[in-house]
Amino acid sequence: MTKRVRIENADDSDHKLVVQVWDEGHRHEEDAMRSEHKLPHPCSMVEVDVWKGSYIVIKEIDED
């Protein structure tokens, strides 16, 4: 079943985030990144879809 997830950069500092959606590899394949979304400002938001066999990674990034 597909789920829509909304992620917001709710921090009011200068820290930037990136949200990645990954699909798990089958058998001996590596996981593959399906999409990447930058959240550079406070209140930046993204909606992504996940389902069985996929997952979300949220990371802080350094970007000048």
Side-chain angles (χ1 to χ4, degrees):
M1 173 181 251
T2 300
K3 295 291 183 181
R4 174 150 292 190
V5 178
R6 181 180 303 129
I7 300 167
E8 177 185 4
N9 181 356
D11 188 63
D12 60 358
S13 70
D14 290 334
H15 299 279
K16 297 166 179 54
L17 297 175
V18 65
V19 177
Q20 299 173 337
V21 182
W22 289 79
D23 292 323
E24 293 178 352
H26 299 289
R27 297 190 177 124
H28 299 293
E29 296 175 0
E30 293 185 13
D31 294 356
M33 185 169 49
R34 182 174 2 123
S35 62
E36 181 174 80
H37 310 273
K38 292 182 181 177
L39 302 179
H41 310 290
C43 299
S44 296
M45 190 178 311
V46 65
E47 288 187 5
V48 295
D49 295 327
V50 293
W51 50 80
K52 184 178 179 181
S54 64
Y55 58 94
I56 299 171
V57 174
I58 303 170
K59 301 190 300 187
E60 184 177 322
I61 57 172
D62 292 325
E63 191 175 90
D64 298 328

